[in-house]
Amino acid sequence: MRAMKLTLHIWRQKNANATGQIETHVLDDVNQHMSFLEMLDLLNEKLVTSGKEPIAFDSDCREGICGACSLVINGIPHGPQRGTTACQLHMRHFSDGDEIWIEPFRAKAFPVIRDLVVDRSAFDRVMEAGGYISVNTGSAPDANSILVGKEQAETAFEAAACIGCGACVAACKNASAMLFLSAKVGQFAHLPQGQPERKRRVLSMVAAMDEAGFGNCTNQYECEAVCPKTISAEFIAEMNRDYLVASLTHVD
Ligand code: SF4
Ligand code: FES
């Protein structure tokens, strides 16, 4: 198997206040079985060996479940492979001689901390506003006594697949967090356990989203196109209906 030669144009930025710039590196021993992050590890090993600062990037599980690997690859959050996180993207999807542009997620609510690492704690603040249930669901056998229809369970599960990565925000020209938020609201809206706090939840999570500086949704569907968990924009429509009903009928 022939090694690939790649030219990497990577965003470097010392800290949140520094001016960033693109830095170019050439790697000539990339294996097609490497993941994208392993390719960056290889580059970092070379940088460290030659006494240079390694490139800071975020990762944790490297299995497509934690949502940490927030890279924009050739202009697309998580890169060109549909339904795939950057950590699960493999180098076989690139060709020998390719030039690859690697940048951080860009949104006012996600400030760059260093190089390719952004601060996504704005999502935590939105979750704190209502992304949970506080009703006592009892022990596991008790929970089984509440019947949930198959269709409802499956829809709730589809929403719960959101890994909070933020790619939807990075792809949106308005930096809207509506796909993320609608998944987090939708996972409870389809379950009986989510009903007692349903109206309060949607109102306070939308308020927290606005407060955090995310933009409005103007139905561009860029979010749905880049979501590594293929969350459907139909959840946004559902959440908008929920929000309208809650605004007209909720009393604290
Ligand atoms: S909706 Fe998709 S793109 Fe947005 S945070 Fe969740 S998993 Fe990531
Ligand atoms: S590192 Fe966990 S989803 Fe990519």
Side-chain angles (χ1 to χ4, degrees):
M1 184 187 40
R2 210 156 55 86
M4 288 192 289
K5 181 175 177 179
L6 300 173
T7 303
L8 307 171
H9 305 287
I10 304 174
W11 184 258
R12 303 299 309 257
Q13 184 172 333
K14 275 203 179 322
N15 56 53
N17 302 319
T19 308
Q21 75 286 322
I22 292 284
E23 196 175 270
T24 299
H25 296 274
V26 176
L27 271 185
D28 57 9
D29 50 354
V30 177
N31 180 309
Q32 62 170 0
H33 297 306
M34 284 175 176
S35 72
F36 200 85
L37 301 191
E38 284 165 347
M39 184 273 295
L40 288 178
D41 290 339
L42 179 69
L43 173 61
N44 274 346
E45 275 171 31
K46 289 177 193 286
L47 289 174
V48 170
T49 309
S50 58
K52 296 190 181 126
E53 270 295 308
I55 291 146
F57 65 92
D58 232 348
S59 76
D60 188 359
C61 71
R62 299 198 175 197
E63 292 181 340
I65 43 181
C66 75
C69 49
S70 47
L71 301 178
V72 175
I73 301 166
N74 287 343
I76 306 170
H78 289 299
Q81 200 62 16
R82 202 174 161 82
T84 306
T85 53
C87 60
Q88 290 283 287
L89 177 66
H90 282 79
M91 297 316 294
R92 60 179 169 273
H93 298 295
F94 297 87
S95 307
D96 186 32
D98 273 0
E99 297 204 29
I100 305 176
W101 298 78
I102 310 166
E103 294 172 81
F105 282 0
R106 297 198 188 276
K108 194 174 91 187
F110 292 163
V112 173
I113 297 172
R114 187 180 179 87
D115 297 339
L116 303 170
V117 181
V118 297
D119 177 359
R120 283 170 300 154
S121 57
F123 268 8
D124 298 337
R125 294 196 291 282
V126 173
M127 290 302 283
E128 281 164 16
Y132 52 82
I133 56 168
S134 52
V135 289
N136 186 354
T137 56
S139 60
D142 292 345
N144 283 342
S145 66
I146 301 173
L147 297 179
V148 180
K150 185 170 185 294
E151 215 171 283
Q152 289 295 80
E154 281 175 357
T155 311
F157 192 76
E158 277 169 33
C162 168
I163 54 174
C165 65
C168 45
V169 174
C172 177
K173 67 173 188 174
N174 308 319
S176 167
M178 286 290 270
L179 191 63
F180 161 77
L181 187 57
S182 68
K184 296 306 179 191
V185 165
Q187 66 187 351
F188 297 121
H190 286 271
L191 294 175
Q193 293 89 340
Q195 301 315 309
E197 293 157 303
R198 183 169 178 170
K199 292 178 184 174
R200 189 195 56 75
R201 175 180 303 113
V202 70
L203 292 175
S204 55
M205 288 183 83
V206 168
M209 175 182 71
D210 292 343
E211 172 100 352
F214 295 106
N216 290 324
C217 174
T218 51
N219 299 319
Q220 308 292 309
Y221 301 110
E222 300 289 340
C223 51
E224 190 184 65
V226 301
C227 175
K229 298 297 156 185
T230 59
I231 303 286
S232 167
E234 280 178 25
F235 283 111
I236 298 180
E238 269 186 25
M239 192 188 74
N240 283 337
R241 285 195 291 274
D242 260 19
Y243 183 79
L244 182 64
V245 171
S247 338
L248 296 173
T249 59
H250 181 62
V251 264
D252 261 327

